[in-house]
Amino acid sequence: MPIIQVKSLSKTYEYYKKQAGLWNSVKSLFHREKLFTQAVKNVNFSIAEGEFVGFLGPNGAGKTTTLKMLSGILYPTSGEASVLGYTPWKRQPVFQKQFALVMGQKNQLWWDLPAMESFLLNKEIYEVPEKQFRATLDELTSILDIQRLLDVPVRKLSLGERMKCELVAALLHSPKVLFLDEPTIGLDVVSQHNIRQFLKNYNKEKKTTIVLTSHYMEDVEALCERVIIINHGVVMYDGALKKLIDQYIDHKILEVTFTEPVEAQTLSAYGLIKEQSSQRVVLEVPKKDIKRIASTLMAKLPVDDLLINEVNIDEVIRNLFTNSAQL
């Protein structure tokens, strides 16, 4: 049985049209036009134990709304969902002790208090035994290298340090399911890498089921073998990341450095020029021709170095949306 099961899940928001101006404000007291926005539309998917799944889409696609329904924060308009065998929006205490939600743009830590105070509060909320709490805390703070930060007020921590503390707070009760909503947003490159590595190892060792939303494609490529892509509240793709790339991208990127300048007219015969300087070029080359063209370049031109790169997943998703819009 899947750990997470979603069937025809939908969420519609109601709101009222409000025109500017004092007179329109007075009129709205007596008559208002009700409008509807369907944030999630008949979404279906299932996730097995231990999977690390990327949940992707542009802003306003319905990603966060879906996670909030799966964590019980929001009630759906229609449909069903089961997480660990429980209906999330029933908010049963036994269920709430088995999952965690980390939102990169919202803090669960007390701003003016040291992180340790929030950890102790979570210990009591989740009724974590003292021995288990200390063991888990020592393990997590050691892995994330934040032992020295436990007694520092949260407001004095850097963004990367705060996010590490947020992860510790979310994992102290050893959840079986972890929802991550933009966990690396705003972080520097080093902090992003460290948190990715931590999450990858944690998923592998603890077999925790993790659902990740992120606009940083490096997160997805580093952590997720499977992705679910949603747009305008509708699931557009659910499957292997590699299959998605193979299906929607028919080229690779060839980056070549030369020992001496080569003219653009000569290089254009080998592929579409994306970037060029006097002794460097970036070419877009059809996948089926990549080996032949790389060999020809090295044989006929003064090549100093040559790299064959995959297309960034950002472009894969853009192509998916473009192709779907044309159907």
Side-chain angles (χ1 to χ4, degrees), residues 78-318:
S78 62
E80 303 175 11
S82 172
V83 180
L84 296 163
Y86 300 93
T87 301
W89 44 91
K90 289 184 177 179
R91 300 175 184 172
Q92 297 158 281
V94 65
F95 163 66
Q96 293 177 322
K97 292 179 181 179
Q98 297 185 66
F99 82 92
L101 171 64
V102 177
M103 306 182 75
Q105 302 186 65
K106 293 187 178 179
N107 298 327
Q108 63 171 313
L109 303 174
W110 288 88
W111 186 249
D112 291 312
L113 297 177
M116 190 64 191
E117 296 291 341
S118 296
F119 297 162
L120 291 169
L121 177 61
N122 278 15
K123 169 183 176 293
E124 298 303 322
I125 291 173
Y126 290 103
E127 300 178 337
V128 181
E130 177 68 22
K131 185 176 181 181
Q132 178 185 333
F133 170 76
R134 291 294 169 183
T136 305
L137 180 65
D138 289 345
E139 179 186 13
L140 293 175
T141 55
S142 176
I143 293 172
L144 290 169
D145 191 26
I146 58 170
Q147 300 97 322
R148 69 191 186 285
L149 305 176
L150 299 185
D151 297 321
V152 178
V154 171
R155 57 184 168 79
K156 292 188 176 182
L157 301 177
S158 70
L159 187 57
E161 291 169 340
R162 288 205 305 273
M163 184 49 61
K164 288 181 180 181
C165 290
E166 291 282 351
L167 285 171
V168 172
L171 298 174
L172 280 171
H173 60 292
S174 302
K176 295 179 181 178
V177 173
L178 178 61
F179 298 115
L180 299 172
D181 189 21
E182 304 284 359
T184 61
I185 190 167
L187 301 185
D188 60 77
V189 174
V190 174
S191 296
Q192 288 178 14
H193 172 77
N194 291 341
I195 287 178
R196 282 187 211 117
Q197 197 59 46
F198 167 76
L199 291 172
K200 186 174 184 177
N201 293 336
Y202 189 88
N203 169 253
K204 184 178 180 180
E205 293 175 10
K206 305 293 184 180
K207 305 301 181 186
T208 301
T209 304
I210 302 177
V211 180
L212 166 75
T213 78
S214 179
H215 284 293
Y216 293 115
M217 293 301 109
E218 293 88 347
D219 290 350
V220 179
E221 291 177 289
L223 297 171
C224 307
E225 292 185 2
R226 174 189 172 194
V227 293
I228 299 171
I229 299 178
I230 187 172
N231 192 29
H232 299 301
V234 178
V235 172
M236 300 177 63
Y237 178 85
D238 181 357
L241 178 59
K242 184 180 184 303
K243 182 180 177 182
L244 175 69
I245 293 172
D246 292 341
Q247 183 174 349
Y248 287 95
I249 293 295
D250 60 359
H251 61 274
K252 291 192 177 186
I253 302 299
L254 197 59
E255 185 176 342
V256 190
T257 305
F258 302 103
T259 57
E260 59 187 65
V262 179
E263 293 183 359
Q265 185 177 357
T266 301
L267 295 170
S268 62
Y270 296 95
L272 177 64
I273 298 175
K274 305 294 287 185
E275 298 177 29
Q276 187 188 10
S277 60
S278 62
Q279 294 181 224
R280 177 182 173 273
V281 69
V282 176
L283 297 170
E284 184 179 293
V285 179
K287 273 186 179 181
K288 59 184 178 60
D289 299 327
I290 190 71
K291 291 183 179 179
R292 176 182 61 80
I293 289 177
S295 299
T296 304
L297 271 168
M298 295 184 72
K300 294 187 175 183
L301 297 178
V303 174
D304 183 47
D305 191 21
L306 184 148
L307 295 172
I308 299 175
N309 297 319
E310 296 290 342
V311 174
N312 190 285
I313 192 176
D314 269 325
E315 186 172 341
V316 179
I317 294 175
R318 280 197 300 271

